[in-house]
Amino acid sequence: MQLIEHAPHFWELYQDDQQLYLAIAVDMSSVVSCWELVLTQQQIQNYWQQGCDSIHHLAKTIIDAVYRGDFSYLEQHQVSEEVKAAIQNAFLHWRAQNH
């Protein structure tokens, strides 16, 4: 697992083999919730074709839905605890290498 793209304080994109994962921070004014999500094959294809813009648009779409009270996407695409731990370890490794 490795961090391959990020928008500071907004989202991070991780890759493990051919699978991509999105870690996203949702600021609800009084609290920031962080979610780790598995991307669909279509979203992965969009990323390889369009780059970061596709991830930025996806993150904005997710956050807009959350602000409307719709958490269904977040709930349906959550990663396992094992993947969540791998994402956290990849972030710590990336941070150690870049700071």
Side-chain angles (χ1 to χ4, degrees):
M1 182 79 67
Q2 65 179 352
L3 176 64
I4 60 171
E5 301 272 1
H6 75 287
H9 310 291
F10 186 25
W11 57 261
E12 298 152 4
L13 187 65
Y14 294 87
Q15 182 176 7
D16 186 18
D17 295 322
Q18 296 301 312
Q19 185 60 57
L20 298 182
Y21 302 95
L22 179 64
I24 186 169
V26 181
D27 185 352
M28 299 297 286
S29 73
S30 62
V31 66
V32 175
S33 298
C34 297
W35 296 77
E36 292 83 10
L37 309 168
V38 61
L39 296 188
T40 66
Q41 288 303 320
Q42 183 61 55
Q43 292 162 338
I44 292 169
Q45 185 177 12
N46 290 347
Y47 170 70
W48 294 128
Q49 292 175 349
Q50 301 166 18
C52 286
D53 287 343
S54 69
I55 300 301
H56 192 79
H57 177 72
L58 174 61
K60 183 172 177 349
T61 300
I62 293 168
I63 289 174
D64 289 348
V66 169
Y67 288 161
R68 291 189 312 271
D70 180 0
F71 289 81
S72 61
Y73 184 88
L74 295 176
E75 293 165 350
Q76 293 171 9
H77 292 90
Q78 288 185 68
V79 300
S80 67
E81 289 299 318
E82 180 180 320
V83 171
K84 188 180 287 192
I87 287 171
Q88 291 170 350
N89 286 335
F91 177 78
L92 292 173
H93 178 74
W94 173 84
R95 187 174 69 182
Q97 296 296 317
N98 292 286
H99 289 96

